[in-house]
């Protein structure tokens, strides 16, 4: 992996044209220092050169091994991974797993063995018999609205999920979801989409950082962009923080100005 845009001014020759260790990736992607009542929401997405966030409904075909290493590193740094219900269904989400390589780092940060998974859903149309709900290291959180179907809420609770109300109607208020998670000590937040959920966070001006892998592929078709849904009045401007490259893939990181 080649560093093109240094994270610090201390770039050494041995950091060029070689794979980064997990510790180096963790340092490159570490969360900023947070105030006692602060929180930070970052997104991790992948896109082809022509803007497709998926191929055949999944992100895996446009990813590569290094993208997955960064994916795992971002999860290992987070308190919580926030994901939409459709992505859970399409991508076959499983609980986050504990990784020995990050155990000491998480313990020093006061984190549990693995990130909590938080699923955003209005209908709770989820299979609560899946391992995501029956055997996570940390109980899965279901973020929903006050008007969510009572029978589905009961099913979620029965399966062991923690149901958190983050909206007055059936749906979830993205900014409130961020606050509700932070109030539960889940302040280092990561969203992996899908595009509609990311679009909601963008429209609510709740996103602090975007980690975007640009895949050197062209797919055409009608695949979604990484962000969809409601538009913003004025486009949000972010500042580049890091740029890595390997085999034509660009691994970018942009932060709120």
């Amino acid at each position: 992996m080649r560093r093109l845009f240094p994270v610090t001014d201390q770039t050494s020759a041995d950091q060029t044209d070689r794979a980064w260790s997990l510790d180096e990736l963790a340092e490159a992607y570490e969360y900023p220092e947070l105030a006692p009542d602060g929180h930070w929401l970052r997104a991790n997405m992948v896109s082809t050169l022509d803007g497709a966030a998926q191929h055949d409904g999944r992100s895996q075909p446009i990813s590569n091994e290094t993208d997955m290493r960064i994916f795992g590193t971002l999860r290992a740094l987070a308190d919580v991974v926030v994901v939409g219900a459709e992505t859970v269904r399409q991508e076959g989400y499983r609980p986050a797993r504990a990784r020995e390589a990050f155990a000491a780092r998480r313990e020093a940060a006061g984190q549990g063995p693995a990130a909590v998974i938080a699923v955003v859903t209005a209908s709770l149309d989820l299979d609560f018999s899946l391992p995501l709900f029956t055997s996570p290291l940390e109980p899965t959180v279901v973020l929903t609205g006050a008007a969510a179907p009572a029978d589905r809420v009961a099913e979620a609770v029965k399966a062991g999920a923690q149901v958190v109300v983050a909206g007055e109607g059936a749906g979830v208020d993205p900014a409130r979801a961020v606050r509700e998670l932070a109030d539960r000590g889940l302040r280092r937040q990561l969203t992996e989409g899908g595009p509609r959920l990311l679009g909601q966070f963008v429209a609510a001006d709740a996103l602090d950082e975007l980690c975007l892998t640009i895949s050197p592929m062209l797919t055409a078709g009608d695949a979604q962009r990484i962000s969809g849904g409601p538009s913003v009045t004025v486009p949000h401007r972010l500042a580049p923080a890091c740029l890595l490259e390997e085999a034509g893939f660009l691994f970018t990181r942009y932060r709120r100005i």
Side-chain angles (χ1 to χ4, degrees):
M1 185 183 297
R2 185 169 57 210
R3 176 188 287 181
L4 299 180
F5 188 96
V7 180
T8 72
D9 293 331
Q10 299 175 350
T11 305
S12 60
D14 68 347
Q15 290 174 322
T16 302
D17 294 328
R18 67 172 177 82
W20 279 25
S21 69
L22 290 178
D23 277 341
E24 288 173 316
L25 285 176
E27 290 169 7
Y29 285 94
E30 67 181 350
Y31 280 83
E33 186 173 347
L34 300 176
D37 60 347
H39 49 73
W40 188 267
L41 174 65
R42 68 166 36 141
N44 182 35
M45 301 292 283
V46 60
S47 170
T48 63
L49 293 173
D50 53 352
Q54 304 163 337
H55 185 65
D56 288 339
R58 300 178 65 241
S59 59
Q60 188 276 333
I62 62 173
S63 178
N64 76 344
E65 182 179 350
T66 299
D67 182 45
M68 296 310 298
R69 290 183 77 224
I70 292 174
F71 171 91
T73 299
L74 294 180
R75 278 193 162 203
L77 297 175
D79 296 328
V80 60
V81 178
V82 188
V83 63
E86 184 62 20
T87 298
V88 168
R89 290 188 287 264
Q90 288 188 352
E91 302 276 358
Y93 258 62
R94 299 183 64 83
R97 60 188 178 91
R99 299 180 61 187
E100 182 62 32
F102 297 98
R105 186 180 294 270
R106 290 189 66 85
E107 183 178 2
Q111 296 172 300
V116 174
I117 304 294
V119 184
V120 177
T121 175
S123 66
L124 282 81
D125 180 16
L126 298 162
D127 183 352
F128 293 115
S129 69
L130 294 176
L132 178 61
F133 300 100
T134 61
S135 57
L137 288 174
E138 302 282 352
T140 294
V141 171
V142 173
L143 290 161
T144 192
D151 60 332
R152 298 305 296 164
V153 170
E155 283 293 319
V157 173
K158 182 179 178 181
Q162 294 184 355
V163 177
V164 175
V165 173
E168 296 303 320
V172 170
D173 176 339
R176 179 172 168 182
V178 169
R179 296 193 301 270
E180 292 285 351
L181 291 171
D183 287 346
R184 288 161 174 77
L186 304 173
R187 303 192 299 133
R188 303 174 189 89
Q189 302 170 2
L190 168 67
T191 180
E192 298 170 349
R196 191 163 68 90
L197 178 60
L198 178 56
Q200 292 171 351
F201 281 127
V202 171
D205 196 21
L207 189 71
D208 299 298
E209 179 181 322
L210 173 64
C211 299
L212 174 64
T213 295
I214 301 174
S215 171
M217 301 179 188
L218 297 170
T219 63
D222 57 359
Q224 290 178 293
R225 299 160 45 199
I226 66 166
S227 176
S231 62
V232 298
T233 303
V234 178
H236 298 165
R237 180 75 178 267
L238 303 181
C242 180
L243 176 60
L244 311 175
E245 183 272 344
E246 182 188 62
F249 282 78
L250 298 180
F251 307 98
T252 74
R253 181 182 176 197
Y254 289 85
R255 298 173 61 169
R256 181 189 292 273
I257 296 175

